[in-house]
Amino acid sequence: MKFEFSEYPNTKVPDDELLKDMKEVIKNGCGISLSMAEYDEKGSYNSSTIIRHFGSWNNALSLIGAEINNRQFTEEELFNNIERVWIYKGKQPSRRDMDNKNISLISSGAYLRKYGKWTTALKTFIEYINDVENDYPKEDSKIENNNISHNTPREINLRLRFKVMSRDNFKCCICGASPAKDPSVELHIDHIIPWSKGGETILDNLQTLCSSCNWGKGNLL
């Protein structure tokens, strides 16, 4: 299973016009700085357009003399949040989705500061997911559990979890529930043959279940 990146349209605007618009938004807000989410809400253009023109959001802020505010996230935190939004939407998220506080814990600004462009952040995430060699954690020796020998640990990493949910179209394999249709739905990854009964943590032995169906299934085959 290999994921492909979907391109977004590009927009060209004069540099002076972009900087002037940023200044106007700051002036009307009576602040000393400007976040990308604030600009996307009140500006005439789009923060991703500014990133393309000036290399980074902070570069643009420096050019207009605004205060720069940096908050760093680890790549693991950034990837986990992309996965969270992707599962919620049931499809590749847009930069605007990352600024929706109802579904994203990290704004698009953090991705643009680290990767320069939202598309680069997505491509890096997809490359991580497509790294087949690291689907399953490496073990130097077999794991023993209740006299059952395992080649894989019980824990499911982000890469494998995302592949399972994507294969299952981000919905429960039993009842069909999905966060895209009902935001209250929580999806889990279930071992079809329970790990405690010898089932391995591999793609073919994993399925997507909503929390209700997963709790109902318990440790049954």
Side-chain angles (χ1 to χ4, degrees):
M1 179 183 295
K2 187 174 181 180
F3 295 89
E4 300 293 338
F5 172 75
S6 300
E7 291 288 351
Y8 295 117
N10 196 2
T11 304
K12 292 184 178 180
V13 185
D15 290 358
D16 291 344
E17 180 64 27
L18 290 173
L19 296 176
K20 178 181 177 182
D21 193 58
M22 290 177 67
K23 290 179 181 179
E24 285 296 320
V25 175
I26 292 178
K27 179 181 177 181
N28 293 333
C30 298
I32 58 176
S33 188
L34 179 66
S35 71
M36 283 176 284
E38 291 171 334
Y39 181 75
D40 288 336
E41 179 182 354
K42 302 174 182 178
S44 301
Y45 303 100
N46 191 286
S47 60
S48 60
T49 301
I50 292 174
I51 297 296
R52 287 196 297 271
H53 278 248
F54 303 105
S56 74
W57 183 254
N58 284 342
N59 286 345
L61 289 178
S62 296
L63 290 172
I64 62 174
E67 183 177 284
I68 297 175
N69 181 23
N70 288 320
R71 181 183 175 189
Q72 301 297 323
F73 291 91
T74 66
E75 190 160 72
E76 181 180 6
E77 290 174 318
L78 295 171
F79 283 177
N80 273 303
N81 189 58
I82 289 179
E83 181 203 37
R84 170 192 174 88
V85 179
W86 200 314
I87 290 170
Y88 180 90
K89 297 285 292 183
K91 60 182 180 180
Q92 178 179 296
S94 67
R95 187 198 51 74
R96 189 176 297 276
D97 290 328
M98 309 311 289
D99 291 324
N100 184 342
K101 296 181 180 179
N102 292 323
I103 61 176
S104 179
L105 301 178
I106 303 174
S107 72
S108 64
Y111 293 93
L112 297 181
R113 285 194 294 271
K114 185 172 181 65
Y115 300 104
K117 298 180 180 179
W118 168 240
T119 54
T120 302
L122 272 179
K123 289 176 181 178
T124 305
F125 173 77
I126 291 171
E127 288 173 0
Y128 169 83
I129 294 298
N130 286 332
D131 184 2
V132 178
E133 287 189 9
N134 291 311
D135 269 358
Y136 316 115
K138 302 293 190 304
E139 295 296 335
D140 295 331
S141 59
K142 291 184 180 295
I143 303 171
E144 298 294 333
N145 177 60
N146 296 329
N147 296 321
I148 297 176
S149 179
H150 284 277
N151 294 314
T152 56
R154 185 170 189 168
E155 292 74 22
I156 303 165
N157 62 27
L158 183 155
R159 181 184 288 106
L160 188 54
R161 181 173 67 239
F162 185 82
K163 285 186 176 181
V164 173
M165 289 195 181
S166 180
R167 180 201 63 196
D168 298 337
N169 296 314
F170 302 101
K171 62 183 180 181
C172 178
C173 290
I174 294 179
C175 71
S178 71
K181 295 180 179 179
D182 181 357
S184 67
V185 171
E186 181 181 352
L187 296 180
H188 295 174
I189 299 299
D190 169 66
H191 286 78
I192 298 172
I193 300 175
W195 196 78
S196 62
K197 296 183 179 180
E200 295 289 357
T201 305
I202 58 176
L203 190 62
D204 291 341
N205 190 48
L206 299 173
Q207 64 180 342
T208 304
L209 296 183
C210 68
S211 56
S212 297
C213 290
N214 191 35
W215 293 331
K217 176 178 179 291
N219 203 33
L220 301 175
L221 292 172

